[in-house]
Amino acid sequence: MTQDAFPVPPRKRIALVAHDHKKQDLMEWAEYNRELLIQHELCATGTTGAMLEKVLDIEVLKLQSGPLGGDQQIGAKIAEGVIDFIIFFWDPLEPQPHDPDVKALLRIAVVWNVPVACNRASADFMVSSPLMSSSYERILPDFDGHRNRFEPVPEVPEEQIGPEVIIAPVIKKALPAEAEGAIESGGQTNVVGCAREACAPCRNQAP
């Protein structure tokens, strides 16, 4: 199995989200980093997007408000491969009516290996990286095993099967019952006997 690399261009597609008690933090951070942010393509959940447009004086793609499905919209864009970076100032002290959506968004970002900045410090570290203004190859996890988990397993021709696979059932028949469990578990047993070709002496040996 090989892992694919997803090309991320110098002009990033950035999603910005902030819970109500963190919106002011995000606006202050965005204003300070305006010259960097305007070089990229921005989208945001509803209210946050409207506030960013005023602070940055640029057009921002506004999705639904978070509780109305905005977080899910961003999650869908991640799965479609059209989001490169998330700045999500979420509130760890305030319960959210759409908490399952918040968790789902953070989870799908991890699933697709998309970087997430969850506070001002992590956002500062990430946007100051040279990778923000250069191309980058984001490694995509290999999910072929998950996608094909219900596909029928192809039968392997007997001539391609190793001798240990063919002989194993014969050995299990030749040995006493307590040895059978040892074979399956890879453990040891005190049973002494010949397992070659299920030989007659071992097969007829008295208990």
Side-chain angles (χ1 to χ4, degrees), residues 49-67:
M51 296 173 68
L52 284 169
E53 285 186 328
K54 294 179 181 179
V55 169
L56 301 177
D57 194 24
I58 61 170
E59 185 176 351
V60 176
L61 174 61
K62 295 184 292 297
L63 306 174
Q64 292 289 345
S65 175

mmCIF file of all heavy atoms in Angstrom, residues 49-67:
data_model
loop_
_atom_site.group_PDB
_atom_site.id
_atom_site.type_symbol
_atom_site.label_atom_id
_atom_site.label_comp_id
_atom_site.label_asym_id
_atom_site.label_seq_id
_atom_site.Cartn_x
_atom_site.Cartn_y
_atom_site.Cartn_z
ATOM 1 N N GLY A 49 -17.754 34.979 9.587
ATOM 2 C CA GLY A 49 -17.409 35.485 8.268
ATOM 3 C C GLY A 49 -17.795 36.938 8.073
ATOM 4 O O GLY A 49 -17.042 37.736 7.491
ATOM 5 N N ALA A 50 -18.983 37.308 8.543
ATOM 6 C CA ALA A 50 -19.433 38.702 8.420
ATOM 7 C C ALA A 50 -18.522 39.638 9.211
ATOM 8 O O ALA A 50 -18.181 40.740 8.742
ATOM 9 C CB ALA A 50 -20.875 38.820 8.915
ATOM 10 N N MET A 51 -18.090 39.212 10.394
ATOM 11 C CA MET A 51 -17.194 40.031 11.206
ATOM 12 C C MET A 51 -15.822 40.143 10.555
ATOM 13 O O MET A 51 -15.204 41.216 10.560
ATOM 14 C CB MET A 51 -17.079 39.438 12.609
ATOM 15 C CG MET A 51 -18.380 39.440 13.402
ATOM 16 S SD MET A 51 -18.278 38.564 14.988
ATOM 17 C CE MET A 51 -17.163 39.647 15.897
ATOM 18 N N LEU A 52 -15.347 39.044 9.950
ATOM 19 C CA LEU A 52 -14.034 39.068 9.295
ATOM 20 C C LEU A 52 -14.034 40.007 8.088
ATOM 21 O O LEU A 52 -13.033 40.683 7.819
ATOM 22 C CB LEU A 52 -13.634 37.659 8.865
ATOM 23 C CG LEU A 52 -13.151 36.724 9.971
ATOM 24 C CD1 LEU A 52 -13.051 35.290 9.448
ATOM 25 C CD2 LEU A 52 -11.796 37.183 10.516
ATOM 26 N N GLU A 53 -15.126 40.045 7.342
ATOM 27 C CA GLU A 53 -15.194 40.937 6.191
ATOM 28 C C GLU A 53 -15.006 42.397 6.605
ATOM 29 O O GLU A 53 -14.349 43.179 5.915
ATOM 30 C CB GLU A 53 -16.526 40.759 5.460
ATOM 31 C CG GLU A 53 -16.597 39.480 4.636
ATOM 32 C CD GLU A 53 -17.861 39.396 3.801
ATOM 33 O OE1 GLU A 53 -18.910 39.929 4.250
ATOM 34 O OE2 GLU A 53 -17.805 38.801 2.715
ATOM 35 N N LYS A 54 -15.580 42.771 7.746
ATOM 36 C CA LYS A 54 -15.438 44.142 8.227
ATOM 37 C C LYS A 54 -14.019 44.416 8.720
ATOM 38 O O LYS A 54 -13.459 45.496 8.460
ATOM 39 C CB LYS A 54 -16.438 44.395 9.363
ATOM 40 C CG LYS A 54 -17.902 44.349 8.921
ATOM 41 C CD LYS A 54 -18.834 44.589 10.092
ATOM 42 C CE LYS A 54 -20.293 44.528 9.651
ATOM 43 N NZ LYS A 54 -21.229 44.729 10.804
ATOM 44 N N VAL A 55 -13.443 43.446 9.419
ATOM 45 C CA VAL A 55 -12.109 43.646 9.985
ATOM 46 C C VAL A 55 -11.036 43.645 8.902
ATOM 47 O O VAL A 55 -10.108 44.471 8.918
ATOM 48 C CB VAL A 55 -11.802 42.546 11.035
ATOM 49 C CG1 VAL A 55 -10.333 42.579 11.439
ATOM 50 C CG2 VAL A 55 -12.684 42.729 12.265
ATOM 51 N N LEU A 56 -11.162 42.734 7.935
ATOM 52 C CA LEU A 56 -10.131 42.582 6.909
ATOM 53 C C LEU A 56 -10.404 43.410 5.663
ATOM 54 O O LEU A 56 -9.514 43.602 4.837
ATOM 55 C CB LEU A 56 -10.000 41.101 6.519
ATOM 56 C CG LEU A 56 -9.646 40.128 7.645
ATOM 57 C CD1 LEU A 56 -9.628 38.695 7.113
ATOM 58 C CD2 LEU A 56 -8.294 40.494 8.254
ATOM 59 N N ASP A 57 -11.631 43.865 5.504
ATOM 60 C CA ASP A 57 -12.045 44.636 4.329
ATOM 61 C C ASP A 57 -11.811 43.845 3.036
ATOM 62 O O ASP A 57 -11.338 44.393 2.031
ATOM 63 C CB ASP A 57 -11.290 45.970 4.274
ATOM 64 C CG ASP A 57 -11.927 46.941 3.282
ATOM 65 O OD1 ASP A 57 -13.143 46.797 2.998
ATOM 66 O OD2 ASP A 57 -11.203 47.805 2.742
ATOM 67 N N ILE A 58 -12.121 42.571 3.065
ATOM 68 C CA ILE A 58 -12.053 41.714 1.886
ATOM 69 C C ILE A 58 -13.286 40.814 1.891
ATOM 70 O O ILE A 58 -13.982 40.692 2.911
ATOM 71 C CB ILE A 58 -10.782 40.835 1.847
ATOM 72 C CG1 ILE A 58 -10.747 39.890 3.060
ATOM 73 C CG2 ILE A 58 -9.529 41.687 1.774
ATOM 74 C CD1 ILE A 58 -9.654 38.835 2.976
ATOM 75 N N GLU A 59 -13.527 40.176 0.770
ATOM 76 C CA GLU A 59 -14.664 39.267 0.682
ATOM 77 C C GLU A 59 -14.291 37.912 1.275
ATOM 78 O O GLU A 59 -13.219 37.364 1.000
ATOM 79 C CB GLU A 59 -15.099 39.092 -0.767
ATOM 80 C CG GLU A 59 -16.358 38.243 -0.931
ATOM 81 C CD GLU A 59 -16.820 38.171 -2.378
ATOM 82 O OE1 GLU A 59 -16.251 38.915 -3.207
ATOM 83 O OE2 GLU A 59 -17.734 37.375 -2.664
ATOM 84 N N VAL A 60 -15.170 37.387 2.096
ATOM 85 C CA VAL A 60 -14.987 36.073 2.725
ATOM 86 C C VAL A 60 -16.189 35.210 2.359
ATOM 87 O O VAL A 60 -17.341 35.672 2.453
ATOM 88 C CB VAL A 60 -14.873 36.188 4.261
ATOM 89 C CG1 VAL A 60 -14.786 34.809 4.898
ATOM 90 C CG2 VAL A 60 -13.658 37.036 4.643
ATOM 91 N N LEU A 61 -15.934 33.977 1.925
ATOM 92 C CA LEU A 61 -17.036 33.058 1.644
ATOM 93 C C LEU A 61 -17.724 32.694 2.953
ATOM 94 O O LEU A 61 -17.118 32.076 3.827
ATOM 95 C CB LEU A 61 -16.521 31.794 0.958
ATOM 96 C CG LEU A 61 -17.557 30.680 0.728
ATOM 97 C CD1 LEU A 61 -18.690 31.164 -0.180
ATOM 98 C CD2 LEU A 61 -16.893 29.433 0.166
ATOM 99 N N LYS A 62 -18.993 33.098 3.089
ATOM 100 C CA LYS A 62 -19.722 32.883 4.340
ATOM 101 C C LYS A 62 -20.628 31.662 4.193
ATOM 102 O O LYS A 62 -21.495 31.623 3.311
ATOM 103 C CB LYS A 62 -20.533 34.129 4.707
ATOM 104 C CG LYS A 62 -19.663 35.341 5.009
ATOM 105 C CD LYS A 62 -20.484 36.531 5.461
ATOM 106 C CE LYS A 62 -21.357 37.078 4.340
ATOM 107 N NZ LYS A 62 -20.558 37.587 3.200
ATOM 108 N N LEU A 63 -20.422 30.701 5.089
ATOM 109 C CA LEU A 63 -21.257 29.505 5.142
ATOM 110 C C LEU A 63 -22.355 29.731 6.184
ATOM 111 O O LEU A 63 -22.533 30.842 6.685
ATOM 112 C CB LEU A 63 -20.396 28.290 5.484
ATOM 113 C CG LEU A 63 -19.180 28.069 4.570
ATOM 114 C CD1 LEU A 63 -18.323 26.929 5.084
ATOM 115 C CD2 LEU A 63 -19.628 27.791 3.141
ATOM 116 N N GLN A 64 -23.075 28.685 6.509
ATOM 117 C CA GLN A 64 -24.087 28.792 7.563
ATOM 118 C C GLN A 64 -23.415 29.030 8.914
ATOM 119 O O GLN A 64 -22.235 28.719 9.111
ATOM 120 C CB GLN A 64 -24.921 27.517 7.626
ATOM 121 C CG GLN A 64 -25.820 27.278 6.434
ATOM 122 C CD GLN A 64 -27.001 28.235 6.382
ATOM 123 O OE1 GLN A 64 -27.321 28.909 7.358
ATOM 124 N NE2 GLN A 64 -27.656 28.286 5.225
ATOM 125 N N SER A 65 -24.166 29.573 9.847
ATOM 126 C CA SER A 65 -23.689 29.663 11.223
ATOM 127 C C SER A 65 -23.412 28.259 11.742
ATOM 128 O O SER A 65 -24.050 27.282 11.323
ATOM 129 C CB SER A 65 -24.744 30.354 12.088
ATOM 130 O OG SER A 65 -24.357 30.349 13.448
ATOM 131 N N GLY A 66 -22.446 28.155 12.661
ATOM 132 C CA GLY A 66 -22.061 26.833 13.172
ATOM 133 C C GLY A 66 -23.223 25.976 13.643
ATOM 134 O O GLY A 66 -23.391 24.840 13.182
ATOM 135 N N PRO A 67 -24.096 26.501 14.538
ATOM 136 C CA PRO A 67 -25.221 25.695 15.014
ATOM 137 C C PRO A 67 -26.243 25.348 13.934
ATOM 138 O O PRO A 67 -27.062 24.445 14.109
ATOM 139 C CB PRO A 67 -25.860 26.589 16.089
ATOM 140 C CG PRO A 67 -24.765 27.488 16.540
ATOM 141 C CD PRO A 67 -23.954 27.756 15.300
#
